[in-house]
Amino acid sequence: MDDYSSELPGKLLSDLRRAAYTVKGAESVTVVTHIDADGITAGVIAAETLRRLGIRHTLRFERKITEETVADINACTDDLVWICDLGSAYMGQFVRSGLVVTDHHVPDPKWRSGQSMLEAFGTVHQLNPHMYRVSGSYEVSGAGMTYLLSKAISPDNTDLAYLAVIGAIGDFQDTRESKLVGWNRIILDDAVKAGDITVSNGIRYFGRGTRPILQFLQYGEPAVDGLTGNVDACMGLLQMYDIQMYGSDGKKRTWMDLTDVERAILTDELMTRTVREEDRKALFGELYSVTRYDPRSCLGDAKEFATTLNSCGRYDDAETGARICEGDMFALEDAESNRKDHRKNISLALAYVKENKLLRRLNHIQYFDAGSAIRETVVGIVAGMILSSSDAVPDMPILAFADADDGVKVSARAPRSLIDRGLDLSRIMSSAAESVGGMGGGHNVAAGATIPEGKEKVFLEKVDELVAASLSP
Ligand SMILES: [Mn+2]
């Protein structure tokens, strides 16, 4: 049906087997992972795999790889350091023996050519989809690569596949096709066979089991003309079909509480009102339920599960996210307060950018500088939301600056239309950051950098120039 490979390439399987051999031979392992949903699930998969092998291990979360992290990893006295959802961009800087990287970010091009001696001795393994010409933005995530290694270590580990599904969804890998594809599909099959995920089709709005039906319609994305953002219109639609907002128990009904007929009617209404093919595709597609949790809880849907983990990570509480993945229900209460903070911070940040008219434009990019008013951990989300709002020019990348401990953090997002024309934000951010003495990278649609204070203007001009160059025929 789809044109993605339904099998893993032989080269990957043999690379996985060699890495599995290295992991199994270790007596002590430090797992270093990223703080977002993909990183947290990856870290839990790695840690659980090691626990099952009886290997002593510690799990460590990092917001990103810094010079200090590189030095720590190089100096670590454990037999092995296993880096998940991070590391590929810094391969050239690791000089230790005993290193496994399961990542999906763009690899360090310098390392590729010089790879080698350590790898030849079988002590350094980088497992990254880019090395097999597979997309790291929608075909497999960091948790996915970590899971594939876990499964190579023991076929019994397929009960961890559902965590990799959540990780991929946390990185928005299901948005492009409104379903998981590529290697993610293979991982999804494992999770379904293990009984941990069920797949259904429907309206892909957020909160089908948790949001009251009115809010579900009102805040859904993609927007439906005449409905989204308009509470009266949403209420009118419900009244037109006599769909009750409250159940017989007096509680607000969610999308899941509706009858099949009610859902079919509303689905039809939403689809009929959506004209653009792109929006129709985004609106309707696959939904993933996590079977072990109540469908009306924030863990019952893979997307919401991932959102819960992401909000933990953003508030320096990835450990709580890991506890949730391990099934610790006390961790959920901690996460709920993170989630509330997160929603509040985002709406305050959006209002701040709008009210202060911070959005500026160069020839080919738009940007805003939030200074210390917006947390560096949410500025990327805010940039993405502004890009899809009417305040922004729809076909220009957006950049956002925020103060960070180690300089100025830059988050960049690009519209799909530009990616289709060949724009690669990851490359642009990396080379523009390098030109001002910073570091950058990421994915083609979403990338980031850290640059020295005071270099913002030069950096912007460089990015503007690189965007122009990459879009010129
Ligand atoms: Mn990731």
Side-chain angles (χ1 to χ4, degrees), residues 380-407:
I381 300 187
V382 174
M385 290 174 84
I386 289 182
L387 181 61
S388 56
S389 78
S390 55
D391 293 346
V393 185
D395 54 357
M396 262 189 191
I398 187 167
L399 274 76
F401 296 95
D403 297 342
D405 297 341
D406 53 347

Side-chain angles (χ1 to χ4, degrees), residues 36 38 85 104-105 142 171:
D36 67 2
D38 188 33
D85 193 31
H104 66 130
H105 295 88
D171 270 5

